[in-house]
């Protein structure tokens, strides 16, 4: 199901409402004027306007739907979302606590017994890396992914980082593509947004042919300084152009029914690499509002499925915890940017997290912060910690249900769960 699908029937209904409303409003107004005396002309017009007020409201709404198809589109999307919510609730009602918690974990694909572990731990998904794809034929990749899906009670997210440029997992294998996908910057330089659009479609086609349903892209970070750690992975332009790039990519991914992930919220800026240690961001909140948030807002408005939160400590938002573990940062994403779908962590095994939480407790802190999906390598340890936190009352089961509903709704809307 595509989030931005528009049905012709909605426009037809809007036109009919518009016509009926104008005719009824005109009739009521003229009837009142005919019955009123000349001295009561103004009061008759007021009463006619009151009697036709409800119709007038419908006329305005219908006219807005005709002039702005996005309104009708939003009505259609809302109906589809309601259906997904109902189906998700039905599935949730039949799940055990272990199954619910398992759905919140999208793990790095194990080198051994991946299918068995997907079933045993009720995992929400796997993320594939170079080691899972290197040297394999298309048939081998397809068969491996199929085995994971067949083992899972609830179909999995199968994710990959296929950003283009310095971060490619699939297209670096010559058995899967003749050459790696270009970086966003190179695409734009060679062919503008049209090439960005066609490249995104080709990515989606390739990933989907392998059984991959989630691309951990696009990178939304704003960077124009080649010395920045994130620069080569970014679009390399200002916030407005980066926002347009993100919109272009997300819209194509949505049309191609490929799950999208906006990263790395709240914006990486010129910070250091958090894979190996902590990065501290001392920029003002105004900088985020006027620049870093713009590409994320663009992606959210375009129908992105998920937002990935970084491990940076952003001092203007929370001086104590990395963004991925900060309730304050998640509140900003939910309220200020209006994101109501799936929030996921960056990999909880990254070096930036270990100094801020007790051993084996990163996932517990991440759930308490507001994350829905927990990305980690040591999922066996982290999952047990979350289960124990729920059983002890440290985390409520209602809090788990909130996240699992979002996850299931996303899987249903993308056709992963039928």
């Amino acid at each position: 199901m595509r989030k931005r699908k528009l049905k012709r029937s909605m426009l037809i209904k809007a036109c009919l409402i518009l016509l009926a409303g104008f005719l009824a409003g005109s009739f009521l107004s003229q009837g009142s004027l005919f019955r009123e005396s000349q001295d009561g002309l103004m009061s008759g017009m007021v009463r006619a306007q009151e009697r036709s007020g409800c119709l007038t409201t419908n006329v305005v709404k219908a006219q807005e739907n005709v002039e702005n198809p996005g309104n009708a589109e939003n009505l259609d999307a809302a109906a589809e979302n309601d259906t997904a919510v109902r189906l998700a609730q039905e599935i949730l009602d039949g799940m055990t606590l272990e199954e619910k918690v398992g759905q919140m974990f999208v793990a790095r694909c194990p080198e051994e017994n991946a299918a068995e572990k997907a079933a045993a731990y009720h995992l929400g998904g796997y993320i594939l890396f170079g080691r899972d794809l290197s040297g394999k034929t298309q048939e081998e990749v397809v068969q491996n992914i199929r085995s994971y899906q067949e083992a899972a009670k609830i179909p999995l997210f199968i994710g990959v980082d296929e950003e283009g440029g310095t971060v490619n997992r699939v297209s670096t294998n010559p058995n899967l593509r003749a050459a790696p996908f270009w970086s966003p910057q190179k695409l734009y330089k060679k062919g503008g947004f049209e090439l960005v659009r066609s490249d995104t479609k080709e990515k989606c086609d390739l990933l989907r042919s392998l059984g991959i349903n989630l691309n951990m892209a696009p990178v939304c970070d704003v960077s124009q300084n080649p010395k920045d750690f994130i620069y080569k992975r970014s679009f390399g332009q200002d916030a407005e152009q980066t926002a347009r790039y993100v919109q272009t990519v997300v819209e194509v991914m949505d049309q191609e029914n490929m799950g999208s992930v906006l990263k790395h919220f709240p914006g990486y800026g010129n910070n250091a690499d958090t894979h190996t240690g902590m990065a501290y961001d001392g920029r003002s909140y105004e900088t985020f509002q006027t620049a870093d948030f713009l590409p994320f807002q663009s992606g959210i408005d375009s129908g992105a499925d998920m937002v990935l939160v970084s491990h940076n400590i952003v001092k203007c938002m929370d001086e104590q915890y990395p963004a991925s573990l900060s309730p304050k940062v998640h509140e900003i994403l939910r309220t200020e940017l209006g994101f109501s779908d799936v929030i996921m962590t960056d990999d909880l095994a990254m070096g930036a997290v270990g100094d801020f939480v007790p051993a084996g407790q990163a996932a517990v802190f991440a759930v308490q912060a507001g994350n829905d999906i927990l990305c980690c390598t040591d999922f066996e340890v982290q999952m047990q910690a979350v289960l124990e936190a729920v059983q002890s009352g440290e985390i409520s089961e209602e809090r788990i249900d909130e996240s699992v509903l979002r996850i299931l709704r996303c899987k249903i809307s993308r056709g992963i769960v039928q």
Side-chain angles (χ1 to χ4, degrees):
M1 178 185 69
R2 298 174 185 171
K3 289 187 176 181
R4 299 175 63 83
K5 180 175 63 179
L6 175 63
K7 292 185 178 179
R8 184 184 301 272
S9 61
M10 297 299 296
L11 291 178
I12 294 174
K13 290 178 182 178
C15 291
L16 290 174
I17 292 171
L18 176 63
L19 178 60
F22 274 129
L23 290 175
S26 176
F27 174 78
L28 288 170
S29 297
Q30 291 178 20
S32 296
L33 293 172
F34 180 77
R35 290 190 299 270
E36 297 292 333
S37 66
Q38 187 173 5
D39 292 339
L41 178 62
M42 292 305 296
S43 62
M45 290 177 66
V46 169
R47 286 196 298 273
Q49 185 175 9
E50 290 174 349
R51 286 193 293 269
S52 61
C54 185
L55 285 171
T56 302
T57 300
N58 288 336
V59 168
V60 171
K61 290 181 178 179
Q63 191 170 13
E64 288 175 350
N65 285 340
V66 173
E67 294 175 353
N68 181 11
N71 291 339
E73 179 181 344
N74 290 338
L75 290 173
D76 186 42
E80 291 177 337
N81 184 61
D82 288 345
T83 300
V85 170
R86 287 195 298 271
L87 291 175
Q89 186 65 57
E90 290 176 9
I91 296 171
L92 180 71
D93 290 343
M95 296 172 69
T96 65
L97 176 61
E98 289 75 13
E99 289 171 337
K100 293 176 184 178
V101 172
Q103 277 300 296
M104 296 179 68
F105 282 82
V106 174
R108 180 168 185 164
C109 189
E111 293 188 81
E112 297 180 352
N113 304 318
E116 292 82 355
K117 289 182 178 180
Y121 290 93
H122 316 289
L123 292 173
Y126 278 139
I127 299 176
L128 307 181
F129 286 80
R131 73 183 189 190
D132 306 304
L133 301 161
S134 179
K136 291 183 170 62
T137 65
Q138 180 171 347
E139 292 74 17
E140 288 173 325
V141 174
V142 169
Q143 182 52 47
N144 285 344
I145 292 175
R146 183 180 294 126
S147 71
Y148 310 154
Q149 293 288 22
E150 289 175 349
K153 180 178 179 181
I154 296 176
L156 305 162
F157 287 122
I158 303 294
V160 71
D161 294 283
E162 197 70 15
E163 300 171 7
T166 60
V167 178
N168 283 311
R169 312 300 187 197
V170 175
S171 60
T172 51
N173 180 349
N175 295 326
L176 304 178
R177 192 174 190 267
F181 285 107
W182 287 354
S183 70
Q185 293 182 32
K186 186 173 182 179
L187 287 169
Y188 184 66
K189 182 178 180 180
K190 295 290 186 179
F193 285 110
E194 190 56 42
L195 187 56
V196 169
R197 190 173 291 106
S198 62
D199 176 84
T200 302
K201 185 180 186 308
E202 185 184 348
K203 279 195 186 82
C204 294
D205 290 342
L206 174 59
L207 300 185
R208 199 169 50 244
S209 73
L210 298 171
I212 296 168
N213 51 40
L214 182 69
N215 190 9
M216 312 283 282
V219 171
C220 300
D221 305 293
V222 179
S223 175
Q224 295 180 272
N225 186 348
K227 294 182 180 180
D228 293 346
F229 163 73
I230 204 68
Y231 175 76
K232 291 182 179 179
R233 296 170 63 185
S234 76
F235 190 54
Q237 303 288 325
D238 63 20
E240 288 75 14
Q241 284 292 88
T242 302
R244 185 179 172 190
Y245 161 74
V246 170
Q247 176 186 356
T248 300
V249 172
V250 171
E251 286 180 350
V252 174
M253 292 178 74
D254 186 37
Q255 291 163 8
E256 297 300 318
N257 203 29
M258 178 60 60
S260 57
V261 180
L262 309 179
K263 59 186 186 184
H264 308 79
F265 189 81
Y268 217 95
N270 59 355
N271 293 289
D273 181 4
T274 53
H275 289 81
T276 56
M278 179 50 64
Y280 292 86
D281 192 328
R283 294 176 297 157
S284 70
Y285 193 70
E286 183 182 4
T287 299
F288 286 92
Q289 288 181 307
T290 58
D292 294 73
F293 286 172
L294 300 186
F296 289 97
Q297 190 69 70
S298 177
I300 291 168
D301 294 343
S302 299
D305 297 282
M306 304 183 190
V307 174
L308 180 148
V309 184
S310 77
H311 295 319
N312 296 343
I313 287 186
V314 185
K315 293 182 179 180
C316 66
M317 302 180 197
D318 190 336
E319 294 185 351
Q320 185 176 4
Y321 287 111
S324 56
L325 306 181
S326 168
K328 296 177 182 177
V329 171
H330 289 72
E331 181 68 14
I332 289 169
L333 178 55
R334 291 292 188 204
T335 59
E336 187 161 339
L337 278 77
F339 185 62
S340 59
D341 292 312
V342 176
I343 299 177
M344 71 191 310
T345 68
D346 211 338
D347 191 343
L348 293 174
M350 290 165 64
V353 176
D355 295 337
F356 290 85
V357 295
Q361 293 293 305
V364 172
F365 277 69
V367 173
Q368 292 173 326
N371 293 284
D372 302 306
I373 285 181
L374 314 168
C375 294
C376 65
T377 303
D378 59 337
F379 61 90
E380 297 98 333
V381 174
Q382 299 289 345
M383 190 178 299
Q384 184 60 36
V386 174
L387 282 169
E388 291 175 359
V390 176
Q391 291 162 350
S392 70
E394 185 179 357
I395 297 174
S396 71
E397 189 165 354
E398 289 76 18
R399 167 67 191 88
I400 299 298
D401 288 351
E402 289 175 7
S403 288
V404 177
L405 273 175
R406 291 191 187 103
I407 292 164
L408 292 173
R409 186 178 65 202
C410 182
K411 287 186 174 184
I412 292 165
S413 69
R414 284 290 164 218
I416 298 169
V417 171
Q418 301 291 336

